[in-house]
Amino acid sequence: MIIKKKNSSRTVENSKSNDYYVENNNNDTRISDSNFDNQEKVSCHKEHIQQHEQNVIKETKKEDSPIIADGGCAGWLVVLGGVLIQFITIGIGISWGVMQAYYEQHVFNNDGSSVRFQLGFVSSCLFAFLNGLGAVFQILRSILGIRIVLVIGTLFLSTGLITAGFSTQIWHLYLTQGICFGTGACFMYMTFTITVPRYFYSKRNLAFGIIAAGTGIGGAIIPFIMTAVNNALGSGWTYRILGFISIIFNVIIYLVVKEPRHLQQHYTKKRNAIFDFQVLKNLDFVLWCLAATVQLAVYASPFFITPTYATFYGLSDSQGSSLVTVGNIMNFFDRIICGLLADKFGPINMNIFFSSIAALSCFLIWTFADNYGMIMTFMVIFGFEGGVYFTLMPTITVTILGIEKLPTGISIVLLCNVISIFFTNIVSAIDSNSTTSPQPFITYKMFTGVGFFFVVIIMIWIKFRINKKDFY
């Protein structure tokens, strides 16, 4: 047997040898059976070394444990920071439909029929950078630490919003709200996504559900801010005010979002293994990447197109904003309830259930919605069922890969999600060029419904691959 203790105290056992080693910080000491004059000394030393071995193992487990008790003050403060991040990043992102409708009608209304298609790339660019820079975040976090990365994210986020207020061309919005804001949003979003699982175990889904509800809060409040300020001061001041709000939020986020000390040590030891591409050999994970990409793509379509859809049927701008707001309010309740249910029944099961309802709402309600009441009914149901991706994505990834491979898994899932960002633009182009469609916006409706149905099939496949007997 060999016992080694070096700095962090590690224990190694060699069953082929009867020799014992104790390695201290300053020197190594060899203890051999031959060194003892009698059996009593050997027994005494063995007992002492065995006791030392047990103490070292306990200390090692304590150091390397990647999970601490559910919540705690620090854990719930990180959840608070996550709520604020979701509010100011995804909340603004999914409210882009309000700004797009305003730009179409009041700013770029004389720029031709392709304006809607061009403006659609603003949100695509934003979410492409939000999802696609996970690997960059991982590298910066490993080199600079999470605190510095939060500062960098704050600068990009706020600068992108404030400078968007000075945009006079559509391509200006690509650079400001798209690239700059999207980069900052990615760094902020990734921070809590990989930090929260280290604070929670049995309440992990609930924690992510509460955080994801921040999107619903932001999506409920921000459209009204946008509409009110657009009508009173114009789009320029809308972005500047949102930029100042983001600065205040980001200061609070910086103060409350911190990695546990043991996690900082853990990542310091593994800087040379930031990415574990072995996860790509896991078929369950590859299938999940496919399902996640489709799920995000189809979720976004109704929220982006609803304001324009509403005005097409003669509704006012405020009514269009209220539809998006109600959808986001339902998202708020959906994500918390989904988190609670997922802790009990499992995140994969909940994704199957909620995605099934979302698919049915598209086929049975949205397809026939041509007035305010019908559209509102659809947004209530779809808003409650369709947004579970943001709650369940991290926990499904943990379920498939385990917590040690979570950072790599999240980065790859988000990178795959970049593909989903451009689905909305493709659907928009198809719908705009369709002159024989039986009803307006039918391409969006079928794309969303079929997409959610596809997600259900893939998730059932994953579920039975993971456990063919127990459905938990």
Side-chain angles (χ1 to χ4, degrees):
M1 178 179 291
I2 296 174
I3 297 178
K4 289 186 178 181
K5 179 181 180 183
K6 189 173 183 180
N7 296 331
S8 60
S9 299
R10 293 290 182 269
T11 302
V12 182
E13 177 177 346
N14 185 352
S15 60
K16 295 182 180 181
S17 173
N18 292 325
D19 294 335
Y20 296 83
Y21 294 82
V22 178
E23 178 177 306
N24 298 316
N25 291 332
N26 298 325
N27 61 298
D28 294 342
T29 304
R30 177 182 176 93
I31 304 173
S32 175
D33 290 347
S34 61
N35 291 338
F36 300 112
D37 296 330
N38 53 58
Q39 188 66 28
E40 185 176 349
K41 284 186 177 182
V42 174
S43 178
C44 180
H45 277 277
K46 284 185 178 180
E47 290 178 2
H48 174 73
I49 292 171
Q50 288 172 355
Q51 182 63 40
H52 174 73
E53 180 187 8
Q54 292 176 359
N55 293 336
V56 169
I57 291 173
K58 290 179 180 179
E59 183 180 351
T60 300
K61 288 182 177 179
K62 183 177 180 181
E63 282 186 0
D64 288 344
S65 177
I67 304 174
I68 60 176
D70 278 346
C73 181
W76 290 111
L77 284 176
V78 172
V79 171
L80 171 61
V83 171
L84 297 180
I85 290 173
Q86 289 283 70
F87 180 97
I88 205 66
T89 57
I90 311 298
I92 289 178
I94 64 175
S95 300
W96 163 249
V98 176
M99 296 304 298
Q100 178 172 333
Y102 180 85
Y103 279 122
E104 286 182 20
Q105 298 172 31
H106 304 289
V107 180
F108 304 115
N109 52 316
N110 296 322
D111 288 7
S113 59
S114 64
V115 169
R116 181 187 303 173
F117 178 73
Q118 295 178 52
L119 287 172
F121 272 102
V122 176
S123 62
S124 298
C125 189
L126 189 164
F127 282 101
F129 274 80
L130 191 156
N131 289 278
L133 297 182
V136 177
F137 167 84
Q138 285 285 88
I139 296 171
L140 291 177
R141 174 173 169 266
S142 177
I143 297 172
L144 303 176
I146 214 167
R147 312 289 286 167
I148 302 299
V149 177
L150 278 174
V151 173
I152 295 173
T154 296
L155 292 176
F156 273 97
L157 194 80
S158 302
T159 301
L161 288 174
I162 293 173
T163 54
F166 298 96
S167 300
T168 57
Q169 301 292 329
I170 295 178
W171 66 269
H172 295 169
L173 293 170
Y174 296 160
L175 297 177
T176 54
Q177 186 172 1
I179 296 176
C180 193
F181 177 83
T183 300
C186 174
F187 292 167
M188 308 294 285
Y189 180 84
M190 282 293 296
T191 296
F192 78 82
T193 302
I194 64 175
T195 302
V196 168
R198 300 290 181 170
Y199 282 101
F200 295 90
Y201 182 71
S202 64
K203 298 179 181 178
R204 186 178 294 158
N205 289 284
L206 175 60
F208 274 110
I210 294 172
I211 290 173
T215 303
I217 299 173
I221 296 175
I222 289 174
F224 282 115
I225 295 176
M226 287 179 169
T227 301
V229 181
N230 279 342
N231 294 334
L233 302 174
S235 59
W237 275 105
T238 298
Y239 278 117
R240 293 175 201 130
I241 290 173
L242 290 174
F244 295 138
I245 293 174
S246 74
I247 293 174
I248 297 173
F249 276 34
N250 288 332
V251 170
I252 300 173
I253 291 166
Y254 179 82
L255 294 175
V256 300
V257 176
K258 300 177 182 178
E259 285 183 311
R261 290 183 180 180
H262 69 275
L263 180 62
Q264 295 170 1
Q265 295 170 358
H266 179 76
Y267 278 101
T268 300
K269 295 171 187 173
K270 295 195 174 183
R271 281 181 179 173
N272 294 328
I274 298 174
F275 302 106
D276 183 3
F277 290 105
Q278 294 297 315
V279 300
L280 295 176
K281 296 181 180 180
N282 186 328
L283 179 58
D284 295 332
F285 178 69
V286 173
L287 290 172
W288 165 233
C289 289
L290 175 62
T293 300
V294 175
Q295 189 168 2
L296 181 61
V298 296
Y299 163 77
S301 294
F303 284 93
F304 286 148
I305 202 61
T306 291
T308 304
Y309 185 84
T311 56
F312 176 85
Y313 281 105
L315 304 179
S316 65
D317 291 344
S318 60
Q319 287 177 311
S321 297
S322 67
L323 291 169
V324 176
T325 297
V326 169
N328 285 306
I329 290 174
M330 299 310 297
N331 255 308
F332 170 80
F333 293 107
D334 158 56
R335 295 173 186 189
I336 296 177
I337 294 173
C338 177
L340 287 169
L341 293 175
D343 281 329
K344 183 175 182 180
F345 299 106
I348 295 178
N349 290 334
M350 288 301 97
N351 200 20
I352 293 171
F353 174 76
F354 281 93
S355 296
S356 300
I357 303 300
L360 291 175
S361 70
C362 294
F363 291 132
L364 302 180
I365 301 176
W366 196 17
T367 302
F368 308 102
D370 57 1
N371 57 69
Y372 185 72
M374 286 290 290
I375 302 173
M376 179 63 76
T377 301
F378 167 72
M379 290 304 294
V380 168
I381 297 175
F382 183 84
F384 188 79
E385 307 291 344
V388 295
Y389 168 84
F390 298 99
T391 297
L392 301 179
M393 184 271 287
T395 55
I396 291 176
T397 306
V398 171
T399 300
I400 295 174
L401 295 179
I403 195 167
E404 290 303 315
K405 297 180 180 179
L406 176 64
T408 298
I410 292 291
S411 297
I412 293 175
V413 170
L414 292 180
L415 184 61
C416 293
N417 286 169
V418 174
I419 301 172
S420 68
I421 305 306
F422 298 98
F423 273 78
T424 302
N425 298 99
I426 296 173
V427 174
S428 178
I430 295 173
D431 190 77
S432 299
N433 296 323
S434 178
T435 57
T436 60
S437 175
Q439 60 174 287
F441 302 96
I442 188 64
T443 307
Y444 290 96
K445 299 171 183 178
M446 292 298 102
F447 168 70
T448 307
V450 172
F452 270 109
F453 184 70
F454 176 80
V455 170
V456 171
I457 294 175
I458 296 297
M459 295 308 300
I460 292 175
W461 186 6
I462 294 173
K463 181 62 190 178
F464 279 103
R465 278 184 53 84
I466 293 175
N467 193 322
K468 296 180 180 180
K469 294 180 179 180
D470 297 327
F471 217 65
Y472 63 93

